[in-house]
Amino acid sequence: MAPASGKEPEPWVDPDNYEPNSIIGDRSTMYCYLPGQYPYPGIAPENVVYFDSLADAQAAGYRTHQ
């Protein structure tokens, strides 16, 4: 049953339990994007880096894009 607001609750997400290589980093900005987030205008192919977990991305100096 949906809450009174009419919206379904957001599913709980474990940021360290994504599919392998599902977190995309941008070497030029040092931002990383979680599954479902899309960088605009996009990431140049030479700047794309993949991570298996948010912890891996953060350890490499990347921060999440809000």
Side-chain angles (χ1 to χ4, degrees), residues 17-28:
N17 194 22
Y18 291 118
E19 293 294 318
N21 293 322
S22 64
I23 297 176
I24 302 170
D26 182 343
R27 286 185 183 107
S28 68

Side-chain angles (χ1 to χ4, degrees), residues 18-66:
Y18 291 118
E19 293 294 318
N21 293 322
S22 64
I23 297 176
I24 302 170
D26 182 343
R27 286 185 183 107
S28 68
T29 64
M30 296 302 287
Y31 280 120
C32 65
Y33 300 88
L34 303 177
Q37 293 181 321
Y38 300 99
Y40 180 81
I43 302 173
E46 63 272 13
N47 290 327
V48 173
V49 60
Y50 294 96
F51 297 99
D52 292 336
S53 72
L54 182 55
D56 290 346
Q58 290 172 333
Y62 286 79
R63 60 196 182 279
T64 54
H65 189 267
Q66 298 293 330

